[in-house]
Amino acid sequence: AWFPCLLLLGAVQFLSITKVLTAYLLHRRLQGTIFRIAVAAALLNVALNLWWIPAWGAAGAAGASLASYGVNSLLALRLFVRASGRTLRETLLVAPADLGLYARLLTRRS
């Protein structure tokens, strides 16, 4: 059962990214596009489950989740980059200014 769990850990990472990006995109009133992305990811999940579960069982189901959540996350990331005007690099990499902000937030809560 460890291999399906490892695959699901990756799926959870993609799901977390999607949740954060979706909050911004909802604020920008892009609900329709978010919905279409989610439907596409769900259809991919169903198709992959039908294909991979008979062949690989639980690992197939976890792999289908990883793949569909990954596609969902990548499409949401693409939409975020377009809607925000930020580059992919600015979106994915932590900048030195970000570290200062995190430090101030952490010291404020202590």
Side-chain angles (χ1 to χ4, degrees):
W2 65 269
F3 185 63
C5 286
L6 289 177
L7 293 174
L8 287 174
L9 282 175
V12 168
Q13 290 297 319
F14 282 128
L15 185 60
S16 300
I17 291 168
T18 302
K19 288 293 217 181
V20 172
L21 296 175
T22 299
Y24 173 83
L25 296 169
L26 286 171
H27 177 72
R28 295 291 304 262
R29 301 192 188 279
L30 294 168
Q31 295 92 331
T33 307
I34 294 167
F35 177 74
R36 288 188 292 280
I37 289 171
V39 168
L43 292 173
L44 177 63
N45 189 281
V46 169
L48 291 177
N49 274 309
L50 292 172
W51 181 20
W52 291 353
I53 289 175
W56 298 305
S65 293
L66 176 62
S68 63
Y69 291 177
V71 166
N72 193 355
S73 185
L74 291 174
L75 291 174
L77 180 61
R78 181 177 175 210
L79 182 60
F80 174 84
V81 167
R82 279 189 188 165
S84 69
R86 302 233 179 240
T87 66
L88 191 59
R89 181 183 189 98
E90 289 174 315
T91 303
L92 295 177
L93 297 180
V94 177
D98 297 334
L99 295 176
L101 174 65
Y102 298 147
R104 283 193 304 275
L105 288 172
L106 288 174
T107 56
R108 193 179 297 168
R109 293 179 186 224
S110 301

